[in-house]
Amino acid sequence: MRNRFLAVGLVLSFSSLFCGPNRAEAQVFNPKVCLAVPVIWRLPCVYFAATGREEDVITVSEASPLVAERSIAVDPWALLQSTPGVLVDRITVGGNESGCSSRAPVMEDAAALGKGFLDVNEVIATDLAVAGSLPGELDFNAFAEIPVETLDAGATPGTPEVPARLRPRRGTDEWQAAGSFQGSGGGEGAGETDRVDSQVANVWVGGPLLKDRLWAWGEAGHHGVDSTVLGGQREEQTGRSGRFKLNAQIGLNVSTVLAGSHGLAAGSGIGAGPARAPETTWKEDGREDIWAAEGTAIVTSDFYWTASLGSSHRRLGDRPPFAGMEARIGPDGVARGSWFGFREEDRTRQARLGSSVFANALSTAHEITFGAGWRGQDENRTLTSPGALVTAGGILGLADGLALAELWRSGETGARTGELGLWVQDTLSAGAWTVIAGLQGDRQDLGIAGGGRPWALLPRFELNRSLDRDRMTQAWISLGRFASRLGPRAAWHLDPQAPAALREVFADRNGDLSREPDEPVRLLLPGEGLDLLRPGINPNAVDPRLRPEITDQAAFGLQRALTRDFQIGLRATWRRTRDLLDERLLVRDGATGRVFTATAGDWIPAGQLTGVLPGGTAYDAPVWDLRPGLLWTGGTLLVNGDRRQESLGLSLTWRKTLSNRWMTQGHLTWRDGNQQLGPAFRRFDDPTNTLGSGDDEGRPVTMTASGRPHEIPGFQGARWSFHALGFVELRDGLNLSAAVNGRQGDPLPYYRQVARERAGLALVQLTDRPDTLRTDAVLTLDSRLEKEITLGDAVLTLSLEAANLLNTGTVLERELDLATGRGALADETLASRSFRMQVRMAWR
């Protein structure tokens, strides 16, 4: 019987796995072989190598949708028993609050990351630039590591391939340790461009507590980031973290994992920028504690199961230096005095049970997976308001001598939500064909008493075909449905303790932007989250039939291996999202007291905003207000609307793995999209084109909102992007690499604020579409020179990295409010040229 292999080595580099600017490395070692493959750049790249007898070599290939055919002719779990130190677990220790811990992997080009309970085999590493602007958020509670496939590289055509999925491990049968320190410094331009200085120190050690049975790994890290933002203000952040992992092999067929992490973060000057005076920035503190446990049992060679439990507790607090004092925004648009304070706290509990069955029927091999998962979350947000926030009337189009005062009610919102997922999937392999068919049921508890538990059925189908005898060309097509995670949004919307605001226009006689007792109120505007006639009751409402947004996706791919180490690929993705969430204005009829949802007939013209956009184009934006007799209650109805969004993306990729002393990889991506407004949306929409309301037809942009008062959301939506990386091994242990990245600039939806007598404050978008104007395209060039020195059992690595060698000072964000003195001026620029030195020592 042939010895399948002596060792499998894997080095994984993924930018978001560990501390801040530091690079993560996850390794699998056999005690007999030490793999030394250069890991370069903070990119989601996987580098592979293997050792073994010439007649039977195992290579490791990056997981991607159906790139490799699968068969069950060989017992996949023999790998476990023949490779001590390589264990099966999916746990990544870490979250994101300490600023120095792991983040969830990214689902490739999908609409719902971390939504429901997707099988970990659907989660793969990708370059964020390929996906462009991803809708959805990163889920720090996901404990899944990035899976990889093991394939029989020496197999002849028709030979079954091994379908085992190994995760990156830390346990080894040989004690190993490593430590590193790196420091970086920005170049010229401080005050005129952003710059970042950072220091990162890290040390880890791992090895066998009981050889071939029990392994331990631990890590401790510290990082500090000192940023100088545009205008010269400083923002400082520090963090400490520690992690551990225990892997145990209980007999030949059972393995277990226990993992945990703890992180602390602190900062000062958080939120600094040209639009925030130093006294409005935050002092920050964060804490995060995570633990997870997993067990895998191989019942027979055709059946195994895995169970896992996990919990996380994260806290983050941002508080201004002078809480409780009045805040003000002057004609220049700069905030001064004091600011809002925030505190977030999340607790998550998670359990998962999954199983796989391998079977053969006639000439078809089956891998049937099924399981269930549950996640419960307690999420709380607290807002502490300044004494009052006064805005200069000129910004709002008010008459001279008037100002707007906002009186915010501090509040705390809390929600207890949950998710239940059930899934079953069959992977069929026959000859050159592979088919995946699956169905997932996803139920979400919205945290609303007496209801709010919608179900979603999510089918999945994929088809893969080898187009030639030597399997150098693969084509695949996939169809799938995804459900967004609603989370606490509905519960927070109804929480009577939620923050609220009352707005009034007053005569600022002395022009000091401070509400004095002898300065009379000229106009009382509708509240936000506060009904003046029912001050103790939350005016918001939620449709009892609320359900998650649904995305249908179809993807086609073609991949061609030009040689064994060089391949190119083409991917096309079409996506349609429906049931998008809308908030409809709730108004009260002053004559009858009836509360209802405002429709198109309830609005009347209230004026025009005219002027000139940056670049010289004139704008003329209409403003609408509620008709006389109606008044906004301060609340909205949260419903699923009838808007639809479609997108189409094309991506050309290439990758040459490390061979003949060099490698390269990259992509060129284009995407387009369209949003359609349904009759119901048109009926209930505020006809004023308000910023971020999603009321523009055509190509949509992705909006990222913080949910905090007076923080304008960010907008993304690049039509094109590219990335190219090259690496070459020079002589005498020197390695040189370079990376070029580029993308279209972000949208600039300029706006002006208007105080409407009956409908409240509105941010009026001045262009027909949010992406009519954009920032300049972003182009960066980075390089790295590395030298490895072997000192007995130790390896010393010295490296010098240069970031943004072009140092163009590209503007990334601008002030969007054209009514302020800072209108259209830069808010953030590409960080200036910087250099980073790193020293790393590893022992075996």
Side-chain angles (χ1 to χ4, degrees), residues 603-676:
W603 297 90
I604 60 173
Q608 302 285 131
L609 294 180
T610 59
V612 179
L613 294 169
T617 303
Y619 65 82
D620 187 349
V623 178
W624 297 71
D625 199 357
L626 292 169
R627 59 182 170 85
L630 298 183
L631 187 68
W632 181 33
T633 64
T636 59
L637 172 65
L638 181 63
V639 300
N640 294 101
D642 58 356
R643 287 181 300 148
R644 288 195 173 190
Q645 292 182 352
E646 294 186 0
S647 67
L648 176 65
L650 297 174
S651 202
L652 174 66
T653 64
W654 71 89
R655 184 178 69 190
K656 179 191 178 298
T657 56
L658 185 62
S659 62
N660 297 322
R661 307 175 70 88
W662 70 281
M663 61 83 63
T664 180
Q665 69 174 33
H667 72 83
L668 178 62
T669 299
W670 171 89
R671 62 178 56 243
D672 201 356
N674 183 51
Q675 175 171 256
Q676 300 174 346

Side-chain angles (χ1 to χ4, degrees), residues 402-754:
L402 298 181
L404 177 73
E406 296 185 17
L407 305 175
W408 279 84
R409 180 185 70 191
S410 300
E412 179 179 358
T413 56
R416 175 171 292 184
T417 62
E419 302 169 47
L420 175 66
L422 306 171
W423 63 85
V424 61
Q425 177 178 289
D426 189 8
T427 302
L428 304 89
S429 300
W433 293 89
T434 302
V435 178
I436 294 180
L439 181 65
Q440 178 177 315
D442 183 10
R443 192 195 75 173
Q444 300 187 41
D445 183 349
L446 305 185
I448 302 175
R453 293 177 174 84
W455 277 93
L457 291 179
L458 312 173
R460 175 193 180 192
F461 177 81
E462 297 186 11
L463 180 66
N464 176 277
R465 174 75 162 91
S466 294
L467 302 183
D468 46 24
R469 291 180 57 85
D470 56 2
R471 303 185 181 185
M472 300 291 282
T473 306
Q474 298 274 340
W476 57 269
I477 186 171
S478 70
L479 304 172
R481 174 167 290 176
F482 305 91
S484 68
R485 177 180 176 266
L486 292 172
R489 179 171 178 178
W492 286 351
H493 200 64
L494 296 178
D495 195 329
Q497 304 301 318
L502 178 65
R503 295 186 174 97
E504 57 187 26
V505 177
F506 71 96
D508 187 17
R509 291 173 173 170
N510 55 12
D512 63 351
L513 296 181
S514 179
R515 178 75 165 82
E516 305 293 345
D518 62 341
E519 295 176 331
V521 174
R522 296 293 179 84
L523 177 64
L524 190 63
L525 298 180
E528 182 177 324
L530 177 66
D531 189 341
L532 294 177
L533 298 183
R534 306 175 68 190
I537 299 177
N538 188 315
N540 294 314
V542 172
D543 186 345
R545 299 167 297 177
L546 194 72
R547 57 193 181 276
E549 298 174 349
I550 297 297
T551 296
D552 295 310
Q553 177 177 286
F556 169 79
L558 186 64
Q559 187 168 300
R560 170 67 177 173
L562 303 180
T563 64
R564 289 190 62 86
D565 56 9
F566 185 75
Q567 65 180 19
I568 59 174
L570 179 66
R571 176 189 176 94
T573 303
W574 170 86
R575 182 181 301 127
R576 181 181 62 195
T577 303
R578 56 181 172 85
D579 298 331
L580 295 171
L581 298 184
D582 291 332
E583 292 191 27
R584 298 172 180 172
L585 223 61
L586 295 173
V587 299
R588 176 178 286 108
D589 188 319
T592 65
R594 184 172 69 95
V595 175
F596 58 93
T597 305
T599 59
D602 296 320
W603 297 90
I604 60 173
Q608 302 285 131
L609 294 180
T610 59
V612 179
L613 294 169
T617 303
Y619 65 82
D620 187 349
V623 178
W624 297 71
D625 199 357
L626 292 169
R627 59 182 170 85
L630 298 183
L631 187 68
W632 181 33
T633 64
T636 59
L637 172 65
L638 181 63
V639 300
N640 294 101
D642 58 356
R643 287 181 300 148
R644 288 195 173 190
Q645 292 182 352
E646 294 186 0
S647 67
L648 176 65
L650 297 174
S651 202
L652 174 66
T653 64
W654 71 89
R655 184 178 69 190
K656 179 191 178 298
T657 56
L658 185 62
S659 62
N660 297 322
R661 307 175 70 88
W662 70 281
M663 61 83 63
T664 180
Q665 69 174 33
H667 72 83
L668 178 62
T669 299
W670 171 89
R671 62 178 56 243
D672 201 356
N674 183 51
Q675 175 171 256
Q676 300 174 346
L677 306 180
F681 182 87
R682 295 181 184 277
R683 181 187 178 198
F684 293 104
D685 182 43
D686 179 349
T688 304
N689 189 7
T690 51
L691 183 70
S693 61
D695 55 2
D696 296 310
E697 284 195 308
R699 187 176 186 274
V701 301
T702 300
M703 182 183 72
T704 305
S706 69
R708 299 178 171 186
H710 289 273
E711 290 193 15
I712 301 303
F715 297 88
Q716 297 175 330
R719 278 176 175 260
W720 56 267
S721 64
F722 66 87
H723 158 74
L725 176 140
F727 169 83
V728 60
E729 291 181 329
L730 305 175
R731 295 182 178 180
D732 302 321
L734 280 175
N735 301 321
L736 177 65
S737 55
V740 180
N741 295 276
R743 63 170 174 82
Q744 187 181 26
D746 290 331
L748 292 172
Y750 290 110
Y751 71 93
R752 283 173 55 184
Q753 300 182 66
V754 173

Side-chain angles (χ1 to χ4, degrees), residues 7 107 146 199 230 267 299 310 362 464 534 550 566 607 611 678 808 813:
M107 179 188 302
I146 302 168
Q199 302 81 38
L230 189 65
V299 181
L362 300 177
N464 176 277
R534 306 175 68 190
I550 297 297
F566 185 75
T808 58
E813 295 181 7

